[in-house]
Amino acid sequence: MIETKSSAAPHLRPLWQDISPPGPACVALDEPSGTGVAIIGGGFLGLSVALRLAERGVRCAVLEAEEVGAGASGRNTGFVVPSIRVSATPDVLASRHGTECAGAFFDLVARSGDITFDLINRLDLNCNAEQSGWMQPAHSPKAMKAVKSAAERAREKGRPVRFLEAAEAGAMAGFPLPNGALLDNSGGQLNPLAYVRALAGAAAAAGATVYENTTVTGFARAGDGWRIDTARSSLRAERILLTTNALTGALHRGFAASLAPVRVFQIATAPLPENAAVLSGGQSLSDTRRHTFALRRAPGGGLVTGGLVRAGRAEAARAVKKFSRRLATIARISDAPNTHVWSGIIALTQDGLPRLSTLEPGLDAAVSCNGRGVALTTALGAEIAAYLSGEDALALPLAPLTQHPARRLTTHGASLSLPFLEARDWWESRAA
Protein backbone atom coordinates (compact mmCIF):
# COMPACT_ATOMS: atom_id res chain seq x y z
CA MET A 1 0.00 0.00 0.00
CA ILE A 2 1.40 3.40 -1.01
CA GLU A 3 1.37 5.93 1.80
CA THR A 4 1.94 9.63 1.35
CA LYS A 5 1.55 12.61 3.61
CA SER A 6 -1.79 14.39 3.78
CA SER A 7 -2.11 17.91 2.38
CA ALA A 8 -4.03 21.10 2.93
CA ALA A 9 -7.54 21.54 1.54
CA PRO A 10 -7.60 20.89 -2.22
CA HIS A 11 -8.45 23.58 -4.76
CA LEU A 12 -12.15 23.80 -5.62
CA ARG A 13 -11.51 23.84 -9.35
CA PRO A 14 -10.86 21.26 -12.07
CA LEU A 15 -7.28 20.07 -12.34
CA TRP A 16 -7.53 20.64 -16.10
CA GLN A 17 -7.89 24.40 -15.69
CA ASP A 18 -4.41 24.54 -14.20
CA ILE A 19 -2.62 22.41 -16.79
CA SER A 20 -4.37 23.09 -20.12
CA PRO A 21 -3.15 25.41 -22.88
CA PRO A 22 -5.50 28.30 -23.65
CA GLY A 23 -8.22 27.84 -26.20
CA PRO A 24 -8.65 29.81 -29.42
CA ALA A 25 -9.69 33.45 -29.28
CA CYS A 26 -13.46 33.27 -29.77
CA VAL A 27 -15.63 36.38 -29.81
CA ALA A 28 -19.19 36.84 -28.59
CA LEU A 29 -22.04 37.33 -31.04
CA ASP A 30 -22.69 41.05 -30.67
CA GLU A 31 -24.29 41.93 -34.02
CA PRO A 32 -26.85 40.17 -36.26
CA SER A 33 -25.41 37.47 -38.48
CA GLY A 34 -26.40 34.35 -40.40
CA THR A 35 -25.26 30.78 -40.98
CA GLY A 36 -26.34 27.45 -42.38
CA VAL A 37 -26.38 25.22 -39.28
CA ALA A 38 -26.46 26.75 -35.82
CA ILE A 39 -25.18 24.46 -33.09
CA ILE A 40 -26.18 25.49 -29.58
CA GLY A 41 -23.68 24.11 -27.05
CA GLY A 42 -19.87 24.22 -27.26
CA GLY A 43 -18.89 20.87 -25.79
CA PHE A 44 -17.43 17.72 -27.37
CA LEU A 45 -20.54 16.89 -29.39
CA GLY A 46 -21.32 20.34 -30.72
CA LEU A 47 -17.72 21.04 -31.70
CA SER A 48 -17.23 17.58 -33.23
CA VAL A 49 -20.28 18.14 -35.44
CA ALA A 50 -19.11 21.67 -36.32
CA LEU A 51 -15.67 20.41 -37.29
CA ARG A 52 -17.07 17.73 -39.57
CA LEU A 53 -19.62 20.11 -41.12
CA ALA A 54 -16.93 22.69 -41.81
CA GLU A 55 -14.71 20.04 -43.41
CA ARG A 56 -17.65 19.28 -45.71
CA GLY A 57 -17.89 22.93 -46.66
CA VAL A 58 -21.14 23.54 -44.76
CA ARG A 59 -21.53 26.97 -43.13
CA CYS A 60 -22.01 26.49 -39.41
CA ALA A 61 -21.73 28.35 -36.14
CA VAL A 62 -21.42 27.18 -32.54
CA LEU A 63 -23.01 29.26 -29.80
CA GLU A 64 -21.60 28.66 -26.31
CA ALA A 65 -23.06 30.48 -23.30
CA GLU A 66 -19.75 30.54 -21.40
CA GLU A 67 -16.31 29.47 -22.51
CA VAL A 68 -15.76 26.34 -24.58
CA GLY A 69 -15.48 23.39 -22.19
CA ALA A 70 -17.16 25.14 -19.26
CA GLY A 71 -19.63 22.28 -18.90
CA ALA A 72 -19.12 18.54 -18.53
CA SER A 73 -16.78 18.33 -21.54
CA GLY A 74 -14.07 20.22 -19.67
CA ARG A 75 -14.77 18.67 -16.26
CA ASN A 76 -14.73 14.88 -16.75
CA THR A 77 -11.95 12.37 -16.20
CA GLY A 78 -10.83 12.33 -19.83
CA PHE A 79 -11.33 8.60 -20.39
CA VAL A 80 -11.50 7.48 -24.02
CA VAL A 81 -13.80 4.47 -23.61
CA PRO A 82 -14.91 2.52 -26.71
CA SER A 83 -17.94 1.20 -24.87
CA ILE A 84 -21.25 2.33 -23.39
CA ARG A 85 -23.16 1.51 -20.22
CA VAL A 86 -23.50 -2.21 -19.52
CA SER A 87 -27.32 -1.97 -19.45
CA ALA A 88 -27.38 -0.56 -23.00
CA THR A 89 -27.15 -3.84 -24.91
CA PRO A 90 -27.45 -4.58 -28.64
CA ASP A 91 -30.67 -6.45 -27.89
CA VAL A 92 -32.28 -3.30 -26.46
CA LEU A 93 -31.46 -1.31 -29.58
CA ALA A 94 -32.33 -4.16 -31.95
CA SER A 95 -35.78 -4.54 -30.40
CA ARG A 96 -36.55 -0.91 -31.33
CA HIS A 97 -34.71 -0.30 -34.56
CA GLY A 98 -33.76 -3.70 -35.97
CA THR A 99 -30.67 -5.88 -35.96
CA GLU A 100 -28.96 -4.05 -38.82
CA CYS A 101 -29.22 -0.68 -37.10
CA ALA A 102 -28.02 -2.12 -33.78
CA GLY A 103 -25.06 -3.73 -35.52
CA ALA A 104 -24.04 -0.48 -37.21
CA PHE A 105 -24.31 1.51 -33.97
CA PHE A 106 -22.34 -0.91 -31.80
CA ASP A 107 -19.70 -1.19 -34.52
CA LEU A 108 -19.35 2.61 -34.33
CA VAL A 109 -19.06 2.40 -30.53
CA ALA A 110 -16.32 -0.23 -30.84
CA ARG A 111 -14.40 1.97 -33.28
CA SER A 112 -14.91 5.19 -31.32
CA GLY A 113 -11.55 4.99 -29.56
CA ASP A 114 -9.66 4.65 -32.84
CA ILE A 115 -11.80 7.40 -34.41
CA THR A 116 -10.92 9.75 -31.55
CA PHE A 117 -7.17 9.13 -31.58
CA ASP A 118 -7.05 9.14 -35.40
CA LEU A 119 -8.68 12.59 -35.38
CA ILE A 120 -6.27 13.87 -32.72
CA ASN A 121 -3.29 12.58 -34.71
CA ARG A 122 -4.58 13.90 -38.05
CA LEU A 123 -5.09 17.42 -36.73
CA ASP A 124 -2.20 17.32 -34.24
CA LEU A 125 -4.42 18.34 -31.33
CA ASN A 126 -2.48 19.16 -28.16
CA CYS A 127 -4.36 17.38 -25.37
CA ASN A 128 -2.04 14.83 -23.68
CA ALA A 129 -3.67 12.01 -25.63
CA GLU A 130 -2.50 8.46 -24.85
CA GLN A 131 -3.96 5.47 -26.68
CA SER A 132 -2.65 3.25 -23.91
CA GLY A 133 -5.73 1.09 -23.40
CA TRP A 134 -8.87 0.99 -21.27
CA MET A 135 -9.37 -1.63 -18.56
CA GLN A 136 -12.73 -2.81 -17.24
CA PRO A 137 -12.16 -4.93 -14.11
CA ALA A 138 -14.93 -7.25 -12.97
CA HIS A 139 -16.05 -6.47 -9.42
CA SER A 140 -17.58 -9.92 -8.86
CA PRO A 141 -17.43 -13.51 -10.15
CA LYS A 142 -20.73 -12.96 -11.98
CA ALA A 143 -19.40 -9.81 -13.61
CA MET A 144 -16.24 -11.69 -14.56
CA LYS A 145 -18.28 -14.06 -16.73
CA ALA A 146 -19.98 -11.14 -18.48
CA VAL A 147 -16.70 -9.29 -19.04
CA LYS A 148 -14.97 -12.42 -20.36
CA SER A 149 -17.88 -13.05 -22.73
CA ALA A 150 -17.75 -9.45 -23.97
CA ALA A 151 -14.02 -9.75 -24.63
CA GLU A 152 -14.54 -12.96 -26.61
CA ARG A 153 -17.26 -11.37 -28.77
CA ALA A 154 -15.03 -8.37 -29.46
CA ARG A 155 -12.11 -10.56 -30.47
CA GLU A 156 -14.34 -12.52 -32.85
CA LYS A 157 -15.03 -9.22 -34.61
CA GLY A 158 -11.34 -8.45 -34.91
CA ARG A 159 -11.18 -5.82 -32.16
CA PRO A 160 -7.97 -5.39 -30.07
CA VAL A 161 -9.69 -6.68 -26.94
CA ARG A 162 -8.79 -9.52 -24.58
CA PHE A 163 -9.59 -10.77 -21.10
CA LEU A 164 -6.84 -10.56 -18.49
CA GLU A 165 -6.82 -13.15 -15.74
CA ALA A 166 -6.37 -11.92 -12.19
CA ALA A 167 -2.56 -12.02 -12.06
CA GLU A 168 -2.03 -10.16 -15.34
CA ALA A 169 -4.81 -7.68 -14.63
CA GLY A 170 -3.42 -6.90 -11.18
CA ALA A 171 0.10 -6.44 -12.53
CA MET A 172 -1.16 -3.96 -15.14
CA ALA A 173 -3.35 -2.04 -12.68
CA GLY A 174 -0.78 -2.04 -9.89
CA PHE A 175 -3.26 -3.38 -7.31
CA PRO A 176 -5.25 -6.63 -6.89
CA LEU A 177 -8.03 -7.38 -9.37
CA PRO A 178 -9.16 -10.84 -8.22
CA ASN A 179 -11.82 -11.26 -10.92
CA GLY A 180 -9.70 -10.19 -13.88
CA ALA A 181 -10.43 -7.45 -16.39
CA LEU A 182 -11.23 -6.68 -19.99
CA LEU A 183 -8.52 -4.75 -21.82
CA ASP A 184 -9.38 -2.75 -24.95
CA ASN A 185 -6.18 -1.44 -26.49
CA SER A 186 -8.05 1.07 -28.66
CA GLY A 187 -9.04 3.11 -25.58
CA GLY A 188 -6.98 5.42 -23.42
CA GLN A 189 -7.09 8.89 -21.94
CA LEU A 190 -6.56 12.59 -22.61
CA ASN A 191 -6.88 16.02 -21.02
CA PRO A 192 -10.58 16.78 -21.66
CA LEU A 193 -10.40 20.56 -21.36
CA ALA A 194 -7.39 20.73 -23.65
CA TYR A 195 -9.21 18.44 -26.09
CA VAL A 196 -12.42 20.48 -26.25
CA ARG A 197 -10.42 23.68 -26.68
CA ALA A 198 -8.37 22.05 -29.43
CA LEU A 199 -11.58 20.91 -31.14
CA ALA A 200 -12.82 24.51 -31.09
CA GLY A 201 -9.59 25.67 -32.70
CA ALA A 202 -9.76 22.93 -35.33
CA ALA A 203 -13.39 23.70 -36.13
CA ALA A 204 -12.60 27.40 -36.51
CA ALA A 205 -9.59 26.63 -38.70
CA ALA A 206 -11.82 24.46 -40.91
CA GLY A 207 -14.27 27.35 -41.41
CA ALA A 208 -16.79 27.10 -38.56
CA THR A 209 -17.59 30.16 -36.46
CA VAL A 210 -17.32 29.58 -32.71
CA TYR A 211 -18.99 32.13 -30.44
CA GLU A 212 -18.26 32.16 -26.70
CA ASN A 213 -20.07 34.07 -23.96
CA THR A 214 -23.14 34.00 -26.16
CA THR A 215 -26.20 32.92 -24.20
CA VAL A 216 -29.11 31.80 -26.34
CA THR A 217 -32.34 33.14 -24.86
CA GLY A 218 -34.72 31.55 -27.36
CA PHE A 219 -35.38 30.70 -30.98
CA ALA A 220 -38.36 30.77 -33.33
CA ARG A 221 -39.31 30.13 -36.92
CA ALA A 222 -38.36 32.88 -39.35
CA GLY A 223 -39.41 32.20 -42.93
CA ASP A 224 -37.74 29.01 -44.16
CA GLY A 225 -35.27 29.01 -41.29
CA TRP A 226 -34.83 30.15 -37.70
CA ARG A 227 -34.10 33.27 -35.73
CA ILE A 228 -31.95 32.62 -32.67
CA ASP A 229 -31.99 35.33 -30.03
CA THR A 230 -29.01 35.79 -27.74
CA ALA A 231 -28.36 38.08 -24.82
CA ARG A 232 -26.80 40.72 -27.10
CA SER A 233 -27.85 40.01 -30.67
CA SER A 234 -29.42 37.41 -32.99
CA LEU A 235 -28.43 34.81 -35.56
CA ARG A 236 -30.42 33.52 -38.53
CA ALA A 237 -29.89 29.87 -39.48
CA GLU A 238 -31.31 27.37 -41.92
CA ARG A 239 -31.47 24.73 -39.19
CA ILE A 240 -30.56 24.21 -35.53
CA LEU A 241 -28.86 21.39 -33.61
CA LEU A 242 -29.15 21.40 -29.82
CA THR A 243 -26.12 19.85 -28.08
CA THR A 244 -26.77 21.38 -24.67
CA ASN A 245 -27.20 17.99 -22.96
CA ALA A 246 -27.77 18.35 -19.20
CA LEU A 247 -27.65 22.16 -19.34
CA THR A 248 -30.59 22.64 -21.72
CA GLY A 249 -32.73 24.31 -19.04
CA ALA A 250 -35.72 26.25 -20.36
CA LEU A 251 -34.33 26.49 -23.89
CA HIS A 252 -36.41 23.46 -24.90
CA ARG A 253 -38.40 21.90 -22.07
CA GLY A 254 -39.24 18.73 -23.98
CA PHE A 255 -35.61 17.94 -24.68
CA ALA A 256 -34.61 18.83 -21.12
CA ALA A 257 -37.32 16.54 -19.71
CA SER A 258 -35.97 13.56 -21.70
CA LEU A 259 -32.71 13.62 -19.73
CA ALA A 260 -31.74 13.12 -16.11
CA PRO A 261 -29.01 15.55 -15.05
CA VAL A 262 -26.62 14.01 -12.53
CA ARG A 263 -23.91 15.82 -10.59
CA VAL A 264 -20.62 13.92 -10.49
CA PHE A 265 -17.54 14.80 -8.42
CA GLN A 266 -13.86 14.28 -9.21
CA ILE A 267 -10.67 14.54 -7.17
CA ALA A 268 -7.04 14.73 -8.24
CA THR A 269 -4.02 13.83 -6.17
CA ALA A 270 -0.46 15.06 -6.10
CA PRO A 271 2.07 13.03 -8.13
CA LEU A 272 2.71 9.55 -6.74
CA PRO A 273 6.22 8.41 -5.89
CA GLU A 274 8.31 7.54 -8.95
CA ASN A 275 8.25 3.83 -8.08
CA ALA A 276 4.45 3.67 -7.80
CA ALA A 277 3.07 0.89 -9.98
CA VAL A 278 -0.56 2.06 -10.07
CA LEU A 279 -1.56 2.36 -13.74
CA SER A 280 2.04 3.16 -14.61
CA GLY A 281 1.36 2.09 -18.20
CA GLY A 282 -1.13 4.92 -18.68
CA GLN A 283 -4.27 2.82 -18.96
CA SER A 284 -7.61 4.27 -17.90
CA LEU A 285 -9.72 2.02 -15.68
CA SER A 286 -13.43 1.84 -14.90
CA ASP A 287 -14.95 -1.29 -13.38
CA THR A 288 -18.35 -3.00 -13.48
CA ARG A 289 -19.71 -1.69 -10.18
CA ARG A 290 -23.08 0.04 -10.24
CA HIS A 291 -21.23 2.91 -8.58
CA THR A 292 -18.30 2.65 -10.93
CA PHE A 293 -14.77 2.86 -9.59
CA ALA A 294 -12.84 4.85 -12.19
CA LEU A 295 -9.16 5.71 -12.06
CA ARG A 296 -6.42 7.16 -14.24
CA ARG A 297 -3.00 8.78 -14.08
CA ALA A 298 -3.01 12.51 -14.79
CA PRO A 299 -0.24 14.40 -16.60
CA GLY A 300 2.48 14.80 -14.00
CA GLY A 301 1.87 11.45 -12.29
CA GLY A 302 -1.07 12.06 -9.96
CA LEU A 303 -4.37 10.20 -9.97
CA VAL A 304 -7.89 11.26 -10.93
CA THR A 305 -10.94 9.44 -9.65
CA GLY A 306 -14.53 10.29 -8.78
CA GLY A 307 -18.19 9.37 -8.85
CA LEU A 308 -21.39 10.12 -6.96
CA VAL A 309 -21.66 11.75 -3.55
CA ARG A 310 -24.65 11.89 -1.21
CA ALA A 311 -26.46 15.18 -1.73
CA GLY A 312 -26.44 17.86 0.95
CA ARG A 313 -24.09 20.33 2.55
CA ALA A 314 -20.30 20.11 2.24
CA GLU A 315 -20.43 17.85 -0.81
CA ALA A 316 -16.88 18.68 -1.90
CA ALA A 317 -15.49 17.69 1.50
CA ARG A 318 -17.47 14.44 1.41
CA ALA A 319 -16.18 13.77 -2.10
CA VAL A 320 -12.58 14.04 -0.92
CA LYS A 321 -13.24 11.76 2.03
CA LYS A 322 -15.25 9.20 0.06
CA PHE A 323 -12.94 8.92 -2.93
CA SER A 324 -9.81 8.88 -0.79
CA ARG A 325 -11.34 5.96 1.09
CA ARG A 326 -12.05 4.17 -2.21
CA LEU A 327 -8.47 4.73 -3.31
CA ALA A 328 -7.25 3.15 -0.06
CA THR A 329 -9.70 0.23 -0.16
CA ILE A 330 -9.57 -0.69 -3.84
CA ALA A 331 -6.29 0.68 -5.21
CA ARG A 332 -4.31 0.32 -1.95
CA ILE A 333 -3.31 4.00 -1.95
CA SER A 334 -3.56 5.53 1.51
CA ASP A 335 -3.43 9.23 2.41
CA ALA A 336 -2.63 10.46 -1.08
CA PRO A 337 -2.67 14.27 -0.88
CA ASN A 338 -5.58 15.74 -2.81
CA THR A 339 -4.81 18.83 -4.86
CA HIS A 340 -8.15 19.46 -6.60
CA VAL A 341 -11.84 18.62 -6.19
CA TRP A 342 -14.56 19.65 -8.62
CA SER A 343 -17.93 18.64 -10.01
CA GLY A 344 -19.86 18.67 -13.27
CA ILE A 345 -23.29 17.67 -14.50
CA ILE A 346 -23.72 14.80 -16.95
CA ALA A 347 -26.87 13.79 -18.81
CA LEU A 348 -28.34 10.30 -18.58
CA THR A 349 -30.91 8.81 -20.92
CA GLN A 350 -33.29 6.20 -19.54
CA ASP A 351 -31.88 3.32 -21.60
CA GLY A 352 -28.24 4.43 -21.49
CA LEU A 353 -28.17 4.95 -25.25
CA PRO A 354 -27.35 8.19 -27.07
CA ARG A 355 -30.18 9.84 -28.93
CA LEU A 356 -30.78 12.05 -31.94
CA SER A 357 -34.29 13.50 -32.10
CA THR A 358 -36.07 15.74 -34.57
CA LEU A 359 -38.06 18.20 -32.45
CA GLU A 360 -39.44 20.04 -35.48
CA PRO A 361 -38.44 20.11 -39.14
CA GLY A 362 -35.06 21.79 -39.14
CA LEU A 363 -34.65 21.52 -35.35
CA ASP A 364 -32.74 18.51 -34.02
CA ALA A 365 -31.31 17.63 -30.61
CA ALA A 366 -28.56 15.16 -29.80
CA VAL A 367 -27.32 13.69 -26.54
CA SER A 368 -24.75 10.95 -26.14
CA CYS A 369 -22.90 11.31 -22.87
CA ASN A 370 -24.27 8.92 -20.22
CA GLY A 371 -20.92 9.41 -18.55
CA ARG A 372 -18.82 8.25 -21.51
CA GLY A 373 -18.83 11.21 -23.80
CA VAL A 374 -15.27 11.65 -25.08
CA ALA A 375 -15.07 8.84 -27.62
CA LEU A 376 -18.75 8.58 -28.48
CA THR A 377 -19.29 12.29 -29.13
CA THR A 378 -16.23 12.37 -31.36
CA ALA A 379 -17.41 9.38 -33.37
CA LEU A 380 -20.95 10.73 -33.64
CA GLY A 381 -19.70 14.09 -34.87
CA ALA A 382 -19.10 12.69 -38.35
CA GLU A 383 -22.38 10.73 -38.29
CA ILE A 384 -24.54 13.70 -37.34
CA ALA A 385 -22.71 16.01 -39.74
CA ALA A 386 -23.48 13.59 -42.56
CA TYR A 387 -27.15 13.50 -41.51
CA LEU A 388 -27.38 17.30 -41.39
CA SER A 389 -25.78 17.40 -44.84
CA GLY A 390 -28.61 15.30 -46.24
CA GLU A 391 -27.12 11.81 -46.26
CA ASP A 392 -29.38 8.89 -45.33
CA ALA A 393 -26.86 6.66 -43.57
CA LEU A 394 -26.90 7.18 -39.80
CA ALA A 395 -25.53 4.71 -37.27
CA LEU A 396 -27.36 6.54 -34.49
CA PRO A 397 -31.11 5.94 -34.96
CA LEU A 398 -33.54 8.83 -34.83
CA ALA A 399 -35.64 8.47 -31.68
CA PRO A 400 -38.63 10.37 -30.30
CA LEU A 401 -38.37 12.27 -27.04
CA THR A 402 -39.69 10.49 -23.97
CA GLN A 403 -39.71 12.01 -20.50
CA HIS A 404 -37.09 10.56 -18.18
CA PRO A 405 -38.83 9.17 -15.06
CA ALA A 406 -36.06 10.46 -12.75
CA ARG A 407 -36.03 13.98 -14.17
CA ARG A 408 -37.96 15.47 -11.25
CA LEU A 409 -35.32 14.23 -8.82
CA THR A 410 -33.00 17.01 -10.14
CA THR A 411 -29.23 16.76 -10.34
CA HIS A 412 -28.95 15.01 -6.96
CA GLY A 413 -31.49 12.28 -7.68
CA ALA A 414 -28.95 9.56 -8.46
CA SER A 415 -27.22 10.07 -5.12
CA LEU A 416 -30.42 9.10 -3.29
CA SER A 417 -30.00 5.51 -4.41
CA LEU A 418 -26.25 5.48 -3.73
CA PRO A 419 -26.35 3.45 -0.46
CA PHE A 420 -28.44 0.76 -2.16
CA LEU A 421 -26.16 0.62 -5.22
CA GLU A 422 -23.03 0.37 -3.11
CA ALA A 423 -24.56 -2.29 -0.87
CA ARG A 424 -25.34 -4.44 -3.91
CA ASP A 425 -21.82 -3.92 -5.28
CA TRP A 426 -20.32 -4.97 -1.94
CA TRP A 427 -22.55 -8.03 -1.60
CA GLU A 428 -21.80 -9.21 -5.15
CA SER A 429 -18.07 -8.73 -4.67
CA ARG A 430 -18.23 -11.00 -1.60
CA ALA A 431 -19.93 -13.82 -3.52
CA ALA A 432 -17.94 -16.93 -4.20
Side-chain angles (χ1 to χ4, degrees), residues 125-136:
L125 305 183
N126 179 17
C127 57
N128 301 108
E130 299 178 85
Q131 193 169 18
S132 45
W134 166 66
M135 299 180 68
Q136 186 180 37

Side-chain angles (χ1 to χ4, degrees), residues 82 182 195 325 352 394 399-400:
L182 176 149
Y195 179 50
R325 185 168 60 245
L394 184 65

Side-chain angles (χ1 to χ4, degrees), residues 45 71-73 76 85 242-249 255-264 308 344-355 366-373 376-377 404 406-407 410-411 414:
L45 185 57
S73 293
N76 61 82
R85 289 171 58 189
L242 290 179
T243 58
T244 44
N245 289 307
L247 302 180
T248 299
F255 181 45
S258 71
L259 311 170
V262 175
R263 184 173 294 281
V264 179
L308 298 172
I345 301 176
I346 63 173
L348 300 182
T349 55
Q350 185 176 1
D351 56 12
L353 292 166
R355 181 181 296 120
V367 60
S368 62
C369 293
N370 286 285
R372 293 186 174 178
L376 194 51
T377 50
H404 197 295
R407 173 69 190 184
T410 73
T411 58

Side-chain angles (χ1 to χ4, degrees), residues 36-218:
V37 179
I39 300 168
I40 303 176
F44 292 140
L45 185 57
L47 291 166
S48 295
V49 175
L51 170 63
R52 300 294 191 166
L53 284 173
E55 289 180 335
R56 287 169 165 266
V58 177
R59 287 194 312 142
C60 60
V62 177
L63 297 95
E64 166 56 40
E66 300 182 53
E67 294 182 351
V68 162
S73 293
R75 292 174 167 269
N76 61 82
T77 51
F79 288 13
V80 181
V81 179
S83 176
I84 56 178
R85 289 171 58 189
V86 175
S87 60
T89 65
D91 291 341
V92 172
L93 192 60
S95 66
R96 299 174 189 171
H97 302 283
T99 303
E100 183 176 350
C101 177
F105 172 70
F106 278 91
D107 176 66
L108 181 70
V109 171
R111 293 185 292 108
S112 62
D114 285 333
I115 291 171
T116 300
F117 288 109
D118 287 349
L119 177 68
I120 290 169
N121 292 332
R122 174 169 69 88
L123 299 178
D124 193 25
L125 305 183
N126 179 17
C127 57
N128 301 108
E130 299 178 85
Q131 193 169 18
S132 45
W134 166 66
M135 299 180 68
Q136 186 180 37
H139 77 284
S140 68
K142 180 179 179 181
M144 177 182 66
K145 295 177 182 179
V147 166
K148 184 177 290 188
S149 178
E152 291 173 354
R153 290 194 303 271
R155 284 184 64 82
E156 290 172 357
K157 294 181 179 180
R159 300 301 306 159
V161 179
R162 63 191 181 96
F163 180 78
L164 308 179
E165 297 293 347
E168 187 177 6
M172 182 172 291
F175 53 88
L177 295 176
N179 298 298
L182 176 149
L183 173 65
D184 189 328
N185 285 309
S186 71
Q189 59 189 31
L190 47 72
N191 174 333
L193 182 58
Y195 179 50
V196 72
R197 287 175 174 176
L199 278 177
T209 303
V210 181
Y211 296 109
E212 290 184 322
N213 300 307
T214 301
T215 301
V216 174
T217 57

Side-chain angles (χ1 to χ4, degrees), residues 170 203 306 335-336:
D335 297 325

